[in-house]
Amino acid sequence: THRRTLHRRSALHDKLREELASAPRSSAADVDHLEVRDAIARLDSLDQEIIRLSYWDGFTLAQVARMLRLADGTVRSRHHRALRSLRETLGLSTLTR
């Protein structure tokens, strides 16, 4: 279980790094693995879970809403705010799903 968790966490960071690397600013490619992890850790625990489920596990936001028993709009708005927070924390202009 521990190895699986580490693998999944690494996969999340890789996926986010790819997203960040595709951002228009050249500094996006320089975002460090630890910076991404720390930025995610600064989010509210529910926002962390939404980011993990959507990026790490590949669920749609509608699926995440059902799993967390939240309204679709709540998950979409929290996802949007979490991405905005990650952009600000990491100093990036864009970060998309």
Side-chain angles (χ1 to χ4, degrees):
T1 301
H2 179 69
R3 279 189 307 193
R4 235 181 332 171
T5 299
L6 291 176
H7 176 70
R8 291 172 58 187
R9 183 174 294 139
S10 178
L12 168 66
H13 294 154
D14 292 344
K15 187 170 184 175
L16 282 173
R17 189 178 311 114
E18 288 173 21
E19 293 283 335
L20 296 172
S22 67
R25 290 180 38 177
S26 62
S27 64
D30 298 330
V31 174
D32 185 292
H33 177 80
L34 294 175
E35 288 179 282
V36 173
R37 186 186 71 199
D38 291 342
I40 292 170
R42 290 185 194 127
L43 296 173
D44 177 80
S45 61
L46 179 58
D47 294 342
Q48 288 179 36
E49 188 66 16
I50 291 169
I51 293 295
R52 285 185 183 115
L53 288 170
S54 64
Y55 283 92
W56 183 343
D57 294 328
F59 293 109
T60 66
L61 294 179
Q63 292 169 324
V64 171
R66 281 193 300 277
M67 283 187 277
L68 298 177
R69 296 182 179 170
L70 296 170
D72 287 353
T74 301
V75 170
R76 282 193 306 271
S77 63
R78 291 189 74 105
H79 179 262
H80 177 75
R81 281 188 297 233
L83 289 182
R84 183 175 52 211
S85 176
L86 290 172
R87 278 194 300 269
E88 291 170 4
T89 301
L90 297 170
L92 302 172
S93 60
T94 61
L95 177 65
T96 59
R97 189 167 195 314

